[in-house]
Amino acid sequence: MTIIATIPGSSSDIFRSAATLPKTRSSTSLKSATTSTDNDGISASPTLCNLERAESIECNSENSREISFLDLSPTELNVSEALGSRASETIECVRINRCRMTGEGFASIVDSLCQFDLPSLHTVDISQNHVGGAQAAYALQKLLVHAPAIRFLYLGWNQLALSDLKQLASVPSHTFKVSYLDLRSNPLSAQQKTKSKKDSLARTAISNNASSARWIDSLVESLPELTHVLMAQAFIDDQTLSAFMSALTHPESRVEYIGLEWVGLGSRLSTLSTIMKGLAPTPSKVSTRSLHLNLAANNLGDSGIEAISQSGARLTSITLACNFVTERGTGLLAKWLPESGLTSLDLSDNYFGDQGIVSLLDLDTVRKSPDTFATELKLLGLNSCCLSDISLRMLSEALEYKWAPLETLRILRNSRISPGAKITA
């Protein structure tokens, strides 16, 4: 089992002690966690276009395979000049960040790009601009048709509504190869200011129309290779979110990661319940793919955990970090875990303490069936949960009674765990 913690006295190094757990008892020493640079999130960044990449790197050099514009004014965006003497066939990434580019400006850039052959282009990153509206939708469709190898779309921090992407489904008998779709911090359901009052009214009608589920289904069907969808901090109404999630989790969908952090589901429990019930298997809806659902920082509280635990949902992995979960919530999770299909559960940054571990492990029930695993968990995230040595002793006992086939335990930043504490199994 892999134990992840931080060596006392170090502010950055991560101590990873790995030991195989045989049938006989073994022990692994744990160091108390205080600070860490460990990143528990899923990273699906492709190659060159990483938002955290240093801006000082020269991306438009002679040997670069990227066209990049950073912190420029819209009038300074010149594709031909940036391409220079390079062959357009070698370009793999186009990145335009923090350039105050609008939907009209994006359409102009796309017109310029489409003058060149771009067979190798697989990444388009236009994050942190003002792109949105009908012009942006048509431009995006035009670019995807012209450069069919595009797989990674970074559209975060713009002014896009989900209905803007409807245009992608309008190409007859055409599908796109996009596998990674970043829609973070977009007003996916907001009414946008447009030059045409008629256009504004049309968008509002699309968002509220009961038939929206049909075009959303068509949109997802036009992206059959989609695997990652990021919507953190996006504004999206209940109806649109429910319809989008239903399409993304359809048995024929290939989506394996959905990020819904910071979307306020704690105050929309009926929508949360609808989403989770959509993940419950039925005779006509059985999916065998892996699915990770990230619900971090939604202020779910124990009421949200109750909605999840009573949904009958089955999925591979769920992140519930930073959701004000107490020992009551972990007790509700304990009842759901055996039937959930979960192999990964992240409860980090919920300060339920040792009592929360007591409720989660439910040792009285586990002891009754010591010959079979009570859950399928292989990874458990308990970073910053106010745990002490007591929690480690309870985890040791739970593992002895086959609570889970645990392989990785994350206990960073639990300062109450003493340096000499051990976990045995």
Side-chain angles (χ1 to χ4, degrees), residues 353-410:
D354 296 329
Q355 189 57 49
I357 297 298
V358 172
S359 300
L360 180 67
L361 298 178
D362 191 14
L363 287 176
D364 289 339
T365 302
V366 172
R367 292 189 188 101
K368 296 177 182 179
S369 303
D371 298 326
T372 58
F373 285 114
T375 73
E376 300 176 43
L377 286 181
K378 295 182 179 180
L379 184 150
L380 179 61
L382 296 171
N383 299 331
S384 298
C385 290
C386 295
L387 306 184
S388 72
D389 298 351
I390 297 174
S391 292
L392 299 189
R393 289 197 293 270
M394 288 186 291
L395 282 165
S396 295
E397 183 178 355
L399 294 177
E400 287 183 10
Y401 284 98
K402 292 192 173 181
W403 176 70
L406 207 60
E407 296 176 356
T408 301
L409 174 63
R410 294 173 177 169

Side-chain angles (χ1 to χ4, degrees), residues 97-139:
N97 300 144
R98 301 185 299 276
C99 292
R100 304 186 299 282
M101 180 174 62
T102 63
E104 183 179 357
F106 179 55
S108 177
I109 290 291
V110 168
D111 287 341
S112 298
L113 287 170
C114 290
Q115 295 176 15
F116 303 94
D117 291 331
L118 299 167
S120 301
L121 182 62
H122 57 65
T123 300
V124 174
D125 179 355
I126 59 169
S127 302
Q128 304 176 73
N129 285 287
H130 305 299
V131 176
Q135 283 185 298
Y138 283 102

Side-chain angles (χ1 to χ4, degrees), residues 49 66-67 91-96 113 121 123-126:
C49 289
E66 176 178 344
I67 294 176
I91 298 301
E92 298 179 354
C93 175
V94 173
R95 182 162 67 126
I96 308 171
L113 287 170
L121 182 62
T123 300
V124 174
D125 179 355
I126 59 169

